[in-house]
Amino acid sequence: HVRGRTQLAGTSGWSLLKNFNTAPSKEVSEENSSQLSLSNHPNPSRSETTIDFTTPHSGFGSLKLFDILGREIRTLISEYIESGDREVNLKTSDLPEGTYILKLETSDGIISKRMQIVK
């Protein structure tokens, strides 16, 4: 928490070396931090997870899945997204066990979340 702003994601030395940045492109103020959101359940997941996200404004956006090394595994959404709540189901049974990153990018900013797959 820095001077009235909430940072939803960040970077580390590792992510900078690998050219993988999970920091928001815009700082998300406390006023709208509850509007731009990303979550999934169950987490950890065995065969399928439901991804829920909310965007305060309509516009082009993408939802992608990355492995822990920053390699893009799947593009789940890459299209015009209406404002409001959305749900996406992701089958995980074909993915190896491990830690993954979900990354939502919209005109409102970028938010990411860790996700576990277990077998």
Side-chain angles (χ1 to χ4, degrees):
H1 204 265
V2 180
R3 293 187 189 171
R5 302 227 182 246
T6 303
Q7 187 172 353
L8 300 174
T11 60
S12 68
W14 174 87
S15 62
L16 294 174
L17 286 173
K18 296 292 184 182
N19 198 25
F20 183 74
N21 184 353
T22 59
S25 61
K26 296 180 182 179
E27 286 188 25
V28 178
S29 70
E30 288 180 3
E31 298 161 3
N32 70 359
S33 65
S34 63
Q35 294 178 352
L36 180 63
S37 65
L38 174 65
S39 65
N40 73 296
H41 57 88
N43 190 12
S45 168
R46 290 192 187 281
S47 61
E48 185 174 59
T49 189
T50 301
I51 302 163
D52 300 301
F53 65 90
T54 303
T55 57
H57 300 98
S58 299
F60 186 82
S62 65
L63 177 63
K64 296 181 179 185
L65 179 68
F66 295 87
D67 68 12
I68 197 65
L69 298 176
R71 296 177 295 213
E72 185 177 328
I73 302 300
R74 257 182 221 158
T75 297
L76 306 170
I77 294 176
S78 182
E79 63 191 21
Y80 186 85
I81 300 172
E82 294 289 340
S83 64
D85 299 333
R86 184 118 178 228
E87 185 177 280
V88 176
N89 291 318
L90 171 63
K91 291 188 188 250
T92 59
S93 55
D94 63 328
L95 296 171
E97 186 172 294
T99 302
Y100 293 82
I101 306 293
L102 289 167
K103 181 179 172 186
L104 174 65
E105 186 171 354
T106 71
S107 60
D108 297 306
I110 299 171
I111 186 171
S112 60
K113 175 160 181 33
R114 283 186 181 210
M115 179 182 104
Q116 289 290 128
I117 295 177
V118 294
K119 298 296 176 178

